[in-house]
Amino acid sequence: MMCFKGPVFTTLPSKGAVGDALGINASTERMYGGVFPGMNNTVSHVRVYSALCWAVNTVWVALDGRAISATELRRTMSRMLWKMQLLLSWSATVAGESGFPGKSRFDDAPGTVTLTREAFPEVATSFLEDVWYRPSLVGGFRFLDAGDGRDTGTYRCTPAGERLAQAYEDVALQRLSPTLFTWLKSSEDVACTLKRLEKLRPVLSLTKPDGAEIAAFVKQFYDAEPRRHAGVLLALRSLEALDIDQPGSHSIDRIRHTMAAGMTPFGRLVDVEGVSKIQGQWTVLQLRALQRLALDTMFSLMEREIFRRECNGRSRNQEEVVGGILEALKKEGGAQFLSMPLSGPLEHLKKFQGKHPTLQQASMSDKKHRYYIGDLKARLRSLSTADWATAQPLSLAVQTLLICSAEAQNLAKNPSAAKHLGSDPGRCSLKELASAVQGHLSGTVAEFLTDVFYKFVIGQHLRVAKARSYAVSDGADRFVFALEDAELSRNSVGISADFARPGDTADTLYNVLLLLANSRKLEAAGLDLTDRGPNRVRALFRLKRSGHQMLKKPN
Amino acid sequence: MTTLYDIVDAVRPTRAFFSTYTYSAAWFEATLFPLLRNQRGVECEQITVMLERRQARHSLDSAISRFAGTRYRVIAASPKGESSSPGIFHPKVAYLESDEGDVFVVSSANLTIRGQGVALEVVDAVCAAQEPQVFSQVAEFFETLPSRLNLLTPEDRTVLARIAERARAQAGKYADQHEGPDSTWLVTTLTKSAGSQLSDLARHRLNQPAQLTVLSPFFDKDGTAVSSLAKKLGTRRLQLGVSRRPGRGEWVAPFADNPSWDTKVTPPAPENERPLHAKWFDIEDASGRSLVMTGSVNATHQSLWMTKNVEVSLVRLVPKSTVSTWQKVTDRIRFEPSAYPRAEGDFEGLQFAASLTAGAVLEVYFAVAPGIGSVTVALTQNDSVLFRTDCHVRRDNVAAVKLPTAVTEKFSDSPLWAQVAVGSASDSTLVNREESLKMRPSSKNLSGAVDRVNAGDDDDDDALLIAEAAHILLTGRARAPKGRRGKTSSEKQNPTTLQRNDREDGSDEFLTEDEWLAKSQGSAGDAGPTDSITERALEAFGRLLEKEDKVIESRLGEGDDETKGDDVDDVNVEDPDDISGGRAPKKRAPGRNESRTKRANTIESARLALDKRLGRPGPIPDAIARMLLPLKIVGNLSRGIPKSLRNIDTGVELSHEGLTREPLAFLTGLLSTLAKLQVSPGVMEEQLPLVVTAAATVSLCLSRRGLASRDTELRAQLDTIAGRGVTPEQGEAYVRATWGKGTSKRICLFKPDDLVLQLWTILGADSVTSIMDKVLTAAYSPGAGGAGDVTEELAPVVEALLRPPGKKKLYSVIVEDRVTNVMGCPQCGAAFTPEEKSRLRKTQIALCTGTCHRPVFVLTSATALHQFLRQTDAMTSDRRTTKSDAGAVA
């Protein structure tokens, strides 16, 4: 029983994670999952799939139908899988490859390694984790079936996994000596020297999977799941269209927005026959991601303004805080813009769009690429500390929201896209944004912005943070700021100025292209898997001949 | 244990009362409310939040709060007093009822994000089991409080009176455990100022007060309240607490510079980095003992020396002052007077409270007579006006209006607000929904649960509630724990155990089938009440069935010993599809995702109840059949097409060896079950598109799993169900329409074109009559063309036909309403064996195994006119209860 002997000062309770303060990320992630189902944003190498499938299969083959207790099976499989995972990580570290987990285990360039989990107690990360390959190995691409209940921790190859394992075994038999192959198959022999590792490199290299492994992988990756097939096909067709216009490599952002607009920057339409549904979803996804950046920018502005007012003791009344944010734009010459009717900038966008069905196509056709989504995203992502002290973030955010609203109205006419516009209701879905804009058509830009701050920044954050805390029910709150007693205040102590930054949703298109490049369907350049930069990926891709072959396959 | 959350977590109260000045519904509903709702098995059955009336308006933003007025009571309070200079309701206390002794918490922290998570606050608590004498004072506080407040509803008064009664009982219960002199006192400002009570205590309990230390976020500008206290106590030294300004780090004293206050102190770091909101008075005597007062009392004149505010603090006599550990501040201090912020709002405006009482009566209570006989009352929810009316104000200053059912049906789970206009003045207040508040917090509004399931935003509690509603409709009683029979509808009186009357007007009841049908009388006859909550709940139950893969998935796992166990269902029925032998779903071991398991078990239990209801003899009323048939189909497809086989079923992956067969019976048994049901032709015709599409789905799954697709059997069953032949064109239209509607997510997993192709295969299979013709041709005209192959299964029938009939007819032809009505041989009266019953269901042919050994062919209305080979030598019997001209036997 609790007992107090006297009064005590309260201590600060733990705070929950507050990333994605407006709660938009989940829906965009779901949309990514709709276009490229079964994969996350960490997978990039075919060999990981084949080697791990082979490791699992090897355990079962070794059993040869022999009865074995669940505990023993779990132990054997765990040892075999750890052996293979550590070999892959070690080999990739030695070879200077990138984009894999557990590199720090081998920082001191060991000469001999015991290939067990226990040998590296301080590093737990592995390929078979939920943030790495496990989701796609098991549920996503269905190479492995995971045991549950008593069999948790064990796996069994699906037919697709068996094909992949067989391809790996063929390569291993061909490239390794019998002694080495026997060593590799053993779950008990786990001591490895650097010399042995070098001999194993042909079957461990992440960058050079064998053709048979690739064939088995691509069959499942490309052919097995209709939506993923359509998503990948749309990416390949976009790349093909770009290649026709401008032979050579193209940036991932260019590919992404060509897929979204259905048109290259050179005006060539992408063939969307058979993939129009996915293309509609992808277009909405890109618009939603842009809208998230704009709303996150407004959220960050709100947090900064509250902090400024806390420090200088000025009123933190909701109206005055929002007024303070708008004031910055007024001071920098935006007074006229803020006081103009909201219909003004929308009419301008309509005029710009002309006969194009969407703003995205119009911006693609525009010589200066005005209102190009990729450009807006890049600018919102890369706001510097100095920028935040100016009116630029707000100016960009409002421009972006108006573009999103106008484009949402365009997409409402496309049945494939329209059904996704309302997704994420209550969290400023594109449909709700368009509706809010329509509701303010006779008002000013400032009135519209004020309403967005109230409803979709302050209100939405409080609702999202409350719902998250309620769902977890751990006593930790997830509020970045509070609106209490008619005042806004930051939910933190002291002078920490670690403000939220506009957030990007994990980009699985990049990983699709990486897998295709690893499968020698694309040629990739400028890749740096270890350092994608804080905001965006810089990589170039070009369609190879075998990639063109994929386009010729029937749907 | 230094936060309110920790204390509540430790006490796990059965009832909880909180008071606060400012309030954040966002914080409360994100942290304390879920804790109270599920305290490791101890559910808090009543939660009350009492807050300052003027704060209530903007802290209960309807866009943020989800549970105010429905799951926890909100009492908006303002002290009586002169309107020109009113006091405020300021206590920050909690009364937590517990079987191990109640706990009373006194704090400086409001129920806000800032109060509970940022600011430096102070908290103290007393337990009845250890300091029972304080609970007499607590009782006195709650007894006296109503007389100091402007306005309370009768229900609010009841809550406060009950706490007073409880506190007094606790004081008595634990009185024997109190030893020695009192050392803790409750100080309230209901009748006497806090300053005078504190100085009285100091005079009696301390030996020459020597030093006064005061820490408070608010002082009078010139500090007179504190100076007066020091003077009254006769202390020589005065220490004043200071805190840091957020962001800048400079020390701030919340009063004007006063050289006579020589010492400045601050609580130990790092706590002093936080914005100060704690109120702490410490009087130390010459012997080192001290009286410490903490709680809501500030160092302002109004708070410390007046009774205008309602304040609550706790005073303790401690052997050694703790302020000796505080740091002396010698740095430069910024003196910045901090006057107490004046509460926003119109003190003289309308003051009223509202509650929605039993029978959907909205009652508005006015603090003073509004001056005119009629006021305008509007009821709003989510910023939408649901109802507006002019309302007479009675002599007791209450305006009451009965809400029409059309209004209450629009209620969602969100808070309700009453807007009242008197002439040009208007204001609004939250409405406490008394019937909802009687429920435990976890007991949810069925309508809200349905809405959330439809929106895909449901949680386990929603699923449980809907499955419970379905169970009651299907069985007439609630689901009971293992080994106990559920309560029948007439036995269900206690609202805390079942919560049948979930809505104020009773429209959200959990109804049994009879009750629901009775309710339909006078509305739409047998069609049932349209769009009723019962119907909506069953539709939502269908969605839950589609989502629930867990039970079947767990069965597909191998030998999970931990999951063995019986369902807690009381129904104990066998699945009429005879697929699982009535085996109950596995129950997960306690502690392992219990909530999910409970959800799965409850849904499974309701699914079994559905099968039991459909298996009940006799015709099914049309209104019930319309609701249950889609559920049956959706439920079986859901169970028969588990996630683990989905890639195979949808053709993504090829079938392989070792494929588990367990869920097969849910598919193969579906149509045979439907064929057995006594459903009116009209309703069956309505459901035919879904039935036909289900048949195609079943066949496609069987085919893709590498199994016989049973097309002949399915064709026969479809003919029986339809009571006519379904043409391929009709079938295709049915499939496309059903797929387009999205009635079943499982069906939508398949491409419509694939389903149509599969249906063509089914409908292209031999009809029942053509199979019969083949059998007869094989026996009596083997050389004739078109005899075709007779399956091995029917070879004994051919052999029987070839045997001399003796005195019997060659075979029998029975025309029946349903194939399964035929139980035995019409010639010799022998009952069919189970094997023959099975053959009959599949082919509508049976072989007598009694004395005559003659075959029996069964026709239904759809095929009644069919003429067989040598039928003149057969025995024909039309047993149909209703015969159309077209269907009459020639």
Side-chain angles (χ1 to χ4, degrees):
Chain A
M1 190 59 182
M2 47 80 56
C3 183
F4 275 71
K5 297 290 183 197
V8 292
F9 286 115
T10 57
T11 50
L12 284 177
S14 59
K15 304 279 182 191
V18 292
D20 183 30
L22 297 177
I24 301 177
N25 187 52
S27 72
T28 44
E29 267 189 2
R30 274 199 301 275
M31 288 171 95
Y32 263 113
V35 178
F36 299 120
M39 56 184 291
N40 59 22
N41 66 329
T42 57
V43 299
S44 51
H45 294 112
V46 172
R47 174 134 289 160
V48 177
Y49 294 97
S50 58
L52 294 182
C53 283
W54 178 81
V56 168
N57 212 40
T58 299
V59 172
W60 288 104
V61 169
L63 282 176
D64 195 22
R66 207 160 27 88
I68 185 173
S69 73
T71 310
E72 182 59 18
L73 176 63
R74 212 166 21 241
R75 193 193 81 87
T76 308
M77 192 154 284
S78 172
R79 283 178 71 85
M80 191 67 198
L81 282 168
W82 272 104
K83 179 180 178 181
M84 181 53 84
Q85 290 179 90
L86 291 169
L87 279 171
L88 290 170
S89 291
W90 190 14
S91 164
T93 306
V94 170
E97 292 170 352
S98 54
F100 62 93
K103 189 176 183 179
S104 61
R105 288 190 180 97
F106 310 102
D107 280 347
D108 54 356
T112 306
V113 166
T114 304
L115 300 165
T116 64
R117 181 185 185 176
E118 296 74 28
F120 300 94
E122 70 284 5
V123 187
T125 184
S126 71
F127 288 97
L128 261 177
E129 279 178 359
D130 282 351
V131 295
W132 286 94
Y133 284 76
R134 190 179 186 279
S136 51
L137 260 166
V138 178
F141 300 160
R142 283 196 56 78
F143 287 120
L144 296 178
D145 281 333
D148 58 8
R150 211 171 42 178
D151 297 329
T152 299
T154 65
Y155 300 89
R156 192 188 275 272
C157 283
T158 63
E162 282 175 359
R163 286 193 294 272
L164 197 53
Q166 187 58 51
Y168 185 86
E169 175 139 331
D170 292 346
V171 175
L173 280 170
Q174 188 186 337
R175 301 196 187 170
L176 303 180
S177 68
T179 316
L180 204 52
F181 183 67
T182 305
W183 177 87
L184 190 63
K185 282 205 300 184
S186 168
S187 61
E188 299 305 314
D189 204 349
V190 290
C192 186
T193 61
L194 191 57
K195 192 175 169 186
R196 178 176 276 160
L197 182 78
E198 289 297 334
K199 289 180 183 168
L200 288 164
R201 287 291 305 287
V203 296
L204 295 179
S205 170
L206 296 181
T207 54
K208 293 173 185 166
D210 186 78
E213 291 170 76
I214 289 171
F217 173 81
V218 170
K219 183 174 173 56
Q220 192 71 359
F221 169 69
Y222 188 54
D223 294 339
E225 171 27 85
R227 280 181 302 160
R228 190 166 60 235
H229 175 87
V232 174
L233 187 57
L234 175 63
L236 291 171
R237 283 186 186 168
S238 299
L239 204 45
E240 182 188 41
L242 286 165
D243 196 44
I244 295 169
D245 283 339
Q246 190 180 73
S249 297
H250 298 275
S251 74
I252 183 167
D253 268 358
R254 180 176 276 184
I255 299 166
R256 180 198 321 280
H257 296 299
T258 298
M259 289 166 71
M263 178 192 267
T264 69
F266 314 100
R268 178 178 301 280
L269 290 174
V270 176
D271 174 13
V272 293
E273 190 186 338
V275 296
S276 60
K277 284 183 183 172
I278 284 290
Q279 198 263 340
Q281 189 171 354
W282 181 258
T283 305
V284 174
L285 166 58
Q286 295 311 312
L287 200 62
R288 181 74 170 147
L290 175 68
Q291 184 202 15
R292 180 190 170 186
L293 284 167
L295 287 171
D296 278 0
T297 300
M298 293 175 75
F299 181 86
S300 190
L301 284 169
M302 172 65 62
E303 200 187 350
R304 287 160 199 266
E305 181 68 18
I306 295 169
F307 176 69
R308 260 195 295 275
R309 287 170 175 265
E310 277 179 352
C311 290
N312 61 25
R314 291 174 65 191
S315 163
R316 281 174 280 117
N317 175 286
Q318 179 177 238
E319 285 176 20
E320 293 190 41
V321 173
V322 173
I325 298 170
L326 300 189
E327 191 61 31
L329 187 54
K330 276 185 196 164
K331 280 181 186 169
E332 294 187 26
Q336 194 183 351
F337 173 67
L338 285 173
S339 60
M340 77 189 302
L342 188 63
S343 55
L346 290 172
E347 278 165 14
H348 171 76
L349 288 173
K350 205 170 179 180
K351 197 173 167 189
F352 169 79
Q353 184 179 325
K355 290 180 182 174
H356 291 282
T358 64
L359 269 172
Q360 294 179 72
Q361 283 203 0
S363 67
M364 282 287 199
S365 304
D366 187 56
K367 284 180 184 173
K368 294 179 183 171
H369 286 188
R370 282 174 296 168
Y371 311 121
Y372 174 54
I373 284 185
D375 181 45
L376 284 168
K377 278 184 181 170
R379 290 169 68 191
L380 285 164
R381 284 180 191 128
S382 55
L383 289 166
S384 67
T385 307
D387 293 335
W388 284 105
T390 69
Q392 189 187 351
L394 182 61
S395 172
L396 268 175
V398 64
Q399 185 184 7
T400 302
L401 286 184
L402 292 175
I403 288 170
C404 287
S405 161
E407 188 69 333
Q409 290 206 311
N410 291 329
L411 294 176
K413 296 166 196 159
N414 171 359
S416 300
K419 65 180 177 183
H420 300 291
L421 292 172
S423 65
D424 221 9
R427 295 195 178 176
C428 194
S429 67
L430 286 161
K431 195 174 176 182
E432 286 166 337
L433 174 69
S435 173
V437 167
Q438 289 303 307
H440 281 86
L441 273 185
S442 55
T444 64
V445 173
E447 286 167 353
F448 165 69
L449 271 179
T450 303
D451 198 38
V452 170
F453 271 117
Y454 286 175
K455 277 188 192 162
F456 298 127
V457 177
I458 300 171
Q460 188 164 322
H461 170 62
L462 294 178
R463 284 194 302 276
V464 165
K466 192 193 85 167
R468 280 180 184 161
S469 307
Y470 180 85
V472 181
S473 293
D474 58 357
D477 73 58
R478 285 148 180 84
F479 300 96
V480 173
F481 53 70
L483 174 60
E484 291 165 354
D485 206 9
E487 283 216 328
L488 287 156
S489 58
R490 293 196 317 143
N491 185 22
S492 58
V493 176
I495 56 169
S496 163
D498 186 16
F499 302 113
R501 293 186 66 85
D504 258 335
T505 304
D507 178 17
T508 46
L509 171 64
Y510 183 49
N511 299 80
V512 166
L513 299 177
L514 286 177
L515 284 170
L516 289 171
N518 195 237
S519 302
R520 300 201 276 275
K521 310 296 179 193
L522 305 179
E523 185 180 287
L527 298 184
D528 184 353
L529 296 178
T530 57
D531 182 18
R532 295 181 184 183
N535 289 317
R536 60 188 306 189
V537 174
R538 292 183 190 278
L540 298 171
F541 294 92
R542 186 175 70 82
L543 205 54
K544 294 173 80 168
R545 183 180 294 172
S546 57
H548 279 289
Q549 295 295 325
M550 290 174 81
L551 285 163
K552 289 178 185 167
K553 283 191 175 183
N555 286 340
Chain B
M1 198 155 27
T2 57
T3 64
L4 180 60
Y5 184 92
D6 292 341
I7 296 170
V8 171
D9 195 22
V11 175
R12 288 190 270 164
T14 50
R15 287 176 184 236
F17 169 93
F18 303 93
S19 73
T20 182
Y21 174 62
T22 54
Y23 178 66
S24 163
W27 177 82
F28 185 78
E29 294 179 16
T31 54
L32 268 189
F33 181 78
L35 174 67
L36 290 162
R37 201 175 141 270
N38 184 18
Q39 309 169 103
R40 287 167 287 165
V42 180
E43 190 175 32
C44 187
E45 64 184 63
Q46 187 187 72
I47 303 171
T48 303
V49 172
M50 191 167 184
L51 70 158
E52 164 66 36
R53 186 176 69 84
R54 286 160 292 252
Q55 294 289 331
R57 277 180 230 152
H58 46 80
S59 59
L60 286 166
D61 182 350
S62 56
I64 304 296
S65 176
R66 193 174 154 201
F67 305 118
T70 55
R71 312 287 174 77
Y72 64 91
R73 176 183 302 280
V74 174
I75 303 177
S78 60
K80 285 178 181 169
E82 293 173 26
S83 59
S84 58
S85 176
I88 55 171
F89 180 79
H90 201 233
K92 300 99 170 47
V93 302
Y95 191 96
L96 309 174
E97 294 185 20
S98 166
D99 294 342
E100 296 171 38
D102 295 357
V103 174
F104 189 64
V105 184
V106 179
S107 173
S108 64
N110 288 305
L111 298 179
T112 59
I113 296 170
R114 192 170 175 82
Q116 301 292 331
V118 178
L120 178 62
E121 306 276 5
V122 60
V123 62
D124 199 352
V126 283
C127 306
Q130 287 155 356
E131 297 175 281
Q133 80 288 357
V134 182
F135 278 73
S136 295
Q137 298 161 26
V138 172
E140 201 173 315
F141 169 71
F142 281 104
E143 283 162 358
T144 314
L145 181 62
S147 66
R148 281 293 316 278
L149 301 176
N150 262 326
L151 181 63
L152 291 170
T153 68
E155 291 81 10
D156 296 343
R157 287 177 187 277
T158 303
V159 169
L160 297 178
R162 196 194 167 284
I163 297 173
E165 195 179 323
R166 170 86 185 189
R168 205 164 282 291
Q170 289 281 302
K173 182 179 178 183
Y174 295 104
D176 294 345
Q177 297 186 23
H178 178 53
E179 294 173 353
D182 291 354
S183 62
T184 311
W185 301 269
L186 190 70
V187 167
T188 77
T189 58
L190 293 183
T191 56
K192 201 173 173 186
S193 76
S196 59
Q197 291 176 71
L198 180 61
S199 50
D200 284 352
L201 282 168
R203 193 164 53 245
H204 291 108
R205 306 288 170 174
L206 293 179
N207 178 22
Q208 292 180 339
Q211 175 178 278
L212 171 64
T213 305
V214 178
L215 181 72
S216 170
F218 302 107
F219 283 72
D220 298 320
K221 187 176 179 181
D222 53 4
T224 49
V226 176
S227 301
S228 301
L229 182 61
K231 191 175 173 186
K232 196 158 187 176
L233 294 168
T235 53
R236 294 190 305 276
R237 284 170 55 79
L238 184 55
Q239 293 196 128
L240 275 302
V242 294
S243 62
R244 288 187 189 276
R245 182 195 298 282
R248 287 190 187 169
E250 66 179 335
W251 296 105
V252 178
F255 40 81
D257 190 4
N258 188 332
S260 67
W261 299 353
D262 46 3
T263 312
K264 309 294 181 295
V265 290
T266 181
E271 307 305 348
N272 59 15
E273 299 289 330
R274 293 153 62 189
L276 175 68
H277 193 254
K279 303 102 169 41
W280 190 307
F281 296 77
D282 183 291
I283 309 163
E284 190 175 350
D285 71 6
S287 65
R289 292 190 309 166
S290 75
L291 271 178
V292 188
M293 182 173 80
T294 58
S296 72
V297 177
N298 275 304
T300 61
H301 185 72
Q302 177 163 324
S303 186
L304 188 60
W305 292 109
M306 298 178 79
T307 57
K308 280 205 293 190
N309 289 0
V310 176
E311 305 274 7
V312 176
S313 283
L314 201 64
V315 177
R316 282 184 187 271
L317 180 65
V318 296
K320 185 171 170 49
S321 168
T322 53
V323 297
S324 58
T325 60
W326 294 10
Q327 300 166 5
K328 295 230 170 356
V329 177
T330 53
D331 301 341
R332 182 174 168 273
I333 292 173
R334 184 183 181 88
F335 290 91
E336 199 170 83
S338 173
Y340 195 86
R342 186 182 167 81
E344 287 190 1
D346 181 2
F347 288 90
E348 291 188 78
L350 291 172
Q351 285 196 33
F352 58 91
S355 59
L356 191 61
T357 56
V361 176
L362 177 65
E363 295 183 330
V364 181
Y365 298 81
F366 292 90
V368 291
I372 52 175
S374 177
V375 296
T376 304
V377 176
L379 195 65
T380 68
Q381 189 168 47
N382 298 326
D383 296 330
S384 299
V385 177
L386 303 179
F387 178 69
R388 189 191 299 275
T389 188
D390 288 337
C391 199
H392 171 69
V393 182
R394 301 191 313 229
R395 285 186 174 182
D396 57 356
N397 292 343
V398 177
V401 59
K402 169 97 170 80
L403 300 179
T405 306
V407 173
T408 57
E409 279 181 345
K410 290 181 195 164
F411 287 174
S412 71
D413 224 13
S414 307
L416 284 173
W417 288 80
Q419 284 181 351
V420 176
V422 179
S424 59
S426 70
D427 208 340
S428 60
T429 189
L430 183 100
V431 178
N432 280 317
R433 295 161 74 174
E434 297 300 336
E435 291 300 307
S436 295
L437 288 168
K438 283 179 189 167
M439 298 192 297
R440 287 167 186 267
S442 64
S443 302
K444 294 185 174 180
N445 173 291
L446 182 59
S447 182
V450 168
D451 290 343
R452 284 185 291 276
V453 167
N454 289 343
D457 189 24
D458 54 292
D459 58 21
D460 290 346
D461 288 336
D462 291 326
L464 287 171
L465 198 67
I466 286 168
E468 196 71 83
H471 199 279
I472 288 170
L473 181 93
L474 294 163
T475 65
R477 62 188 181 204
R479 197 169 163 275
K482 185 182 179 183
R484 284 192 289 164
R485 189 175 65 87
K487 287 187 176 183
T488 62
S489 61
S490 60
E491 291 168 336
K492 291 173 292 191
Q493 297 297 327
N494 183 354
T496 59
T497 55
L498 193 60
Q499 288 93 34
R500 273 169 43 101
N501 297 312
D502 208 17
R503 288 271 288 268
E504 287 79 4
D505 68 342
S507 65
D508 204 3
E509 285 181 339
F510 285 18
L511 299 176
T512 63
E513 179 181 324
D514 291 341
E515 287 168 342
W516 186 69
L517 286 173
K519 206 173 174 182
S520 74
Q521 298 299 318
S523 57
D526 195 29
T530 54
D531 198 28
S532 69
I533 183 62
T534 303
E535 204 170 345
R536 289 175 58 224
L538 279 188
E539 280 173 18
F541 178 61
R543 288 189 183 88
L544 290 176
L545 283 175
E546 293 234 282
K547 284 167 74 172
E548 213 57 32
D549 259 327
K550 191 178 176 67
V551 175
I552 191 68
E553 294 293 345
S554 70
R555 281 195 195 177
L556 290 171
E558 289 178 8
D560 186 354
D561 291 335
E562 290 178 4
T563 62
K564 284 182 180 167
D566 295 329
D567 186 15
V568 289
D569 181 27
D570 64 321
V571 176
N572 191 26
V573 290
E574 291 194 354
D575 189 303
D577 301 340
D578 195 23
I579 40 187
S580 59
R583 193 167 59 151
K586 291 175 181 177
K587 185 182 170 189
R588 293 268 177 205
R592 186 181 167 189
N593 213 352
E594 275 183 47
S595 175
R596 301 291 299 172
T597 307
K598 190 176 172 193
R599 169 193 172 114
N601 283 345
T602 309
I603 290 171
E604 177 63 1
S605 176
R607 195 193 66 77
L608 290 171
L610 167 66
D611 286 346
K612 186 184 179 188
R613 168 63 191 94
L614 290 174
R616 207 186 295 168
I620 303 172
D622 285 357
I624 296 294
R626 280 193 186 95
M627 288 197 296
L628 300 194
L629 287 189
L631 279 185
K632 172 66 184 166
I633 293 168
V634 161
N636 268 45
L637 292 181
S638 173
R639 297 289 304 274
I641 309 174
K643 272 185 194 165
S644 54
L645 299 180
R646 192 151 311 158
N647 275 2
I648 292 169
D649 288 338
T650 54
V652 172
E653 196 177 295
L654 291 176
S655 178
H656 53 82
E657 286 295 319
L659 194 65
T660 182
R661 301 292 161 93
E662 188 167 357
L664 201 58
F666 287 99
L667 300 180
T668 55
L670 174 60
L671 264 71
S672 67
T673 299
L674 295 177
K676 284 186 232 169
L677 301 180
Q678 294 190 39
V679 176
S680 75
V683 171
M684 198 49 105
E685 189 67 30
E686 287 170 20
Q687 303 296 327
L688 205 51
L690 180 59
V691 174
V692 168
T693 313
T697 308
V698 167
S699 175
L700 194 55
C701 284
L702 297 179
S703 165
R704 285 178 172 170
R705 290 181 198 178
L707 305 167
S709 52
R710 305 193 187 197
D711 294 330
T712 306
E713 188 181 329
L714 288 170
R715 163 81 197 260
Q717 288 162 345
L718 270 184
D719 287 349
T720 302
I721 292 167
R724 61 180 171 85
V726 178
T727 67
E729 291 73 23
Q730 285 171 335
E732 177 170 354
Y734 288 159
V735 168
R736 295 201 186 281
T738 305
W739 197 92
K741 272 194 217 167
T743 312
S744 160
K745 285 182 184 170
R746 291 297 191 282
I747 287 173
C748 290
L749 289 171
F750 301 87
K751 291 177 184 169
D753 288 348
D754 290 352
L755 291 173
V756 168
L757 282 174
Q758 198 68 30
L759 184 67
W760 286 354
T761 312
I762 295 171
L763 298 177
D766 285 335
S767 67
V768 173
T769 48
S770 68
I771 292 170
M772 291 172 179
D773 286 342
K774 280 183 182 176
V775 168
L776 288 165
T777 304
Y780 300 133
S781 185
D789 297 326
V790 173
T791 60
E792 203 175 311
E793 189 182 12
L794 292 171
V797 180
V798 177
E799 286 171 19
L801 286 168
L802 290 171
R803 277 197 290 271
K807 293 180 179 177
K808 302 291 182 185
K809 297 285 186 182
L810 282 178
Y811 55 93
S812 308
V813 176
I814 299 177
V815 187
E816 253 293 6
D817 293 322
R818 274 168 297 282
V819 175
T820 48
N821 285 358
V822 182
M823 306 298 285
C825 175
Q827 295 204 58
C828 69
F832 290 142
T833 61
E835 292 75 26
E836 291 308 314
K837 282 182 183 173
S838 171
R839 193 206 307 268
L840 188 67
R841 279 203 300 271
K842 290 177 185 172
T843 60
Q844 296 181 211
I845 303 171
L847 187 56
C848 172
T849 51
T851 54
C852 74
H853 296 285
R854 304 312 300 172
V856 180
F857 299 95
V858 180
L859 299 177
T860 58
S861 292
T863 51
L865 296 175
H866 188 76
Q867 286 294 304
F868 294 113
L869 199 64
R870 299 188 63 177
Q871 189 164 342
T872 48
D873 297 327
M875 174 189 173
T876 302
S877 171
D878 189 343
R879 298 178 179 176
R880 286 176 293 167
T881 50
T882 52
K883 300 168 198 170
S884 68
D885 290 343
V889 177

